[in-house]
Amino acid sequence: MAVTATAAACAVTAMSLAASPAAAAPTNTTASQPGDTCTAADLGTRHPYIKTTEVSPTITHFKGWYVTEGTTGNQTISTSTQTTISVSVGLNGNVEGSFAVETLGKVGASLGLNVKVDYSSTSSESNSVTWNFNQPGYYGVYKGTKKVTGTYGSLNCNRVQQGDGSWALKWIEGPGSGSFTTYTTLEEGAVRCEDKVPAGSIMAKAQGLLDCGSAAVKAEHPAGAVAPTAKQERDRLVQRPALTSGTSAEQPKATGRSARAALDCQAGAYKIAVPGKPLSWGAPVLADDGVRLRPSTIFSAHLDNWRLCNVTERNGVLEASLWNWGNGGCATIAEQNAATERAVLMTVPCAEDDLQRFYIYRDVPGSSKIGVQNKYTGSMMGHDRYADGEFIRQYSSGRQDGTGTYSLIGV
């Protein structure tokens, strides 16, 4: 029997890594890879690149059904859930923000498949299948999909020393990486044991669940549902994992905040300023307020001065806590907002906590431009618009218009 699958009509296109959101690149644009050139405007951005992919046919809903003479024709059959697949990216599985969506978009583009690029689950799909049976026989009525899994890495822009001693900005593999799970559009149909089907297809996967050769195929049976065989029950248990949330090294495990950390801070203090403009990061006086763009004046009370503490360096990327001279707190993303796109940067009492740790990506020597990334969330710091009082926020892919690039200016 011929089975037709409905394919999604929208095509996934890739965005140019250096383009603004309003300027989409042509679909044949080659995505940047580690070692490619970037610019200072990219210091505050990051992008995914796909490391590995695996595509496997998976049956999500199934029912054995016996069609006798006189019962052929259109029938609507309520199937049973066989396997639940959820779209997920990273540790918490959320598909929120541009980074997760871009990851899945690149998966689809690299494989030439139309995959789900927002959170959804096959458990929410209707289980009913309407099919026209024109011959009697033992059928497997199914819904199925291509399950797509794999791993991704994170690309960040940072300075790299060349073999001749000069410096250049390159896309490097950043600390964020993880796994993803998604799936293609559901296909539905019916298949018999005697049907010739393509190897490795969704239909072949469904045919394998029929337990062809068992007594259920040969025995006289009234029309309607066929009780699952022991093999089918075993297969169902094997193929029904818990809801997939993905695993990721993107978010290191946060530690507790029970004690104030004893910070080893560098002697120098800095402004984290918008390049070439007077506004810079200003810490709040009130605990429930956030870090905002503020002008630096004699009345700033050192709220615009930051020290780098517990500094380490790996592969040219600094990692540090950002301690504010004015209020004595450390910059952080609030734990309850860690997975939230555009969450506001706050200051809290300093502790040994990855939410208070930041990666700093630097321009070539002689330039003060930097990009700032939260260690735990993987998101880049930026602001929506240049204005006095505007919050500093986290963006999973950074600000593509360059507003996530700042200057680290010694004071």
Side-chain angles (χ1 to χ4, degrees), residues 4-363:
T4 58
T6 302
C10 59
V12 178
T13 58
M15 295 286 287
S16 167
L17 295 188
S20 69
T27 55
N28 61 356
T29 298
T30 302
S32 294
Q33 296 294 322
D36 289 353
T37 301
C38 56
T39 70
D42 296 316
L43 289 169
T45 66
R46 71 165 181 156
H47 296 278
Y49 75 99
I50 306 306
K51 290 183 170 182
T52 64
T53 57
E54 181 179 347
V55 181
S56 57
T58 302
I59 302 303
T60 59
H61 308 89
F62 185 84
K63 177 75 74 175
W65 197 261
Y66 201 85
V67 177
T68 63
E69 292 286 355
T71 64
T72 55
N74 283 320
Q75 296 190 44
T76 299
I77 298 162
S78 180
T79 61
S80 300
T81 300
Q82 184 79 14
T83 305
T84 297
I85 299 173
S86 295
V87 177
S88 63
V89 178
L91 180 65
N92 56 29
N94 290 343
V95 185
E96 296 181 3
S98 56
F99 186 84
V101 173
E102 187 181 357
T103 299
L104 296 177
K106 288 190 174 181
V107 170
S110 65
L111 295 173
L113 295 174
N114 292 316
V115 301
K116 300 284 187 178
V117 294
D118 55 359
Y119 177 79
S120 56
S121 168
T122 57
S123 65
S124 62
E125 303 284 353
S126 170
N127 285 355
S128 295
V129 175
T130 300
W131 201 252
N132 182 20
F133 299 94
N134 55 24
Q135 296 181 42
Y138 176 48
Y139 288 86
V141 183
Y142 68 90
K143 285 190 175 184
T145 182
K146 292 179 180 177
K147 180 180 179 182
V148 184
T149 58
T151 59
Y152 63 87
S154 176
L155 287 181
N156 290 85
C157 183
N158 192 57
R159 69 186 188 186
V160 175
Q161 192 165 24
Q162 312 281 62
D164 61 0
S166 63
W167 294 82
L169 286 177
K170 303 281 187 181
W171 289 109
I172 64 168
E173 184 170 355
S177 62
S179 63
F180 60 84
T181 299
T182 185
Y183 57 95
T184 60
T185 305
L186 283 181
E187 169 188 312
E188 63 181 41
V191 64
R192 301 178 303 170
C193 290
E194 58 267 36
D195 290 334
K196 300 298 183 184
V197 298
S201 65
I202 296 172
M203 191 187 301
K205 189 77 172 180
Q207 191 180 57
L209 294 177
L210 270 176
D211 199 16
C212 296
S214 71
V217 180
K218 303 167 185 175
E220 291 294 329
H221 198 287
V226 177
T229 65
K231 180 179 183 299
Q232 290 170 2
E233 290 285 11
R234 288 195 303 271
D235 289 344
R236 184 172 300 172
L237 289 173
V238 169
Q239 295 188 53
R240 188 185 292 170
L243 284 178
T244 303
S245 61
T247 59
S248 174
E250 178 180 327
Q251 296 181 351
K253 185 175 181 181
T255 56
R257 306 183 183 193
S258 57
R260 181 183 178 89
L263 298 179
D264 178 16
C265 296
Q266 294 182 350
Y270 300 90
K271 291 180 185 176
I272 305 175
V274 177
K277 298 183 178 180
L279 299 184
S280 63
W281 291 18
V285 176
L286 303 177
D288 58 352
D289 198 4
V291 178
R292 300 172 183 264
L293 289 179
R294 293 294 193 192
S296 295
T297 70
I298 59 173
F299 304 107
S300 295
H302 294 302
L303 292 170
D304 57 345
N305 293 165
W306 302 83
R307 282 199 168 109
L308 306 184
C309 304
N310 294 356
V311 180
T312 62
E313 183 173 350
R314 182 179 179 184
N315 297 330
V317 179
L318 294 181
E319 180 187 326
S321 298
L322 303 179
W323 177 82
N324 186 263
W325 189 354
N327 68 11
C330 282
T332 189
I333 297 294
E335 187 173 8
Q336 66 271 22
N337 297 329
T340 303
E341 186 80 354
R342 299 181 66 252
V344 172
L345 186 66
M346 313 284 286
T347 57
V348 295
C350 299
E352 294 295 332
D353 190 331
D354 284 334
L355 282 165
Q356 298 181 16
R357 299 290 286 172
F358 293 85
Y359 297 114
I360 298 175
Y361 301 92
R362 294 171 289 175
D363 199 356

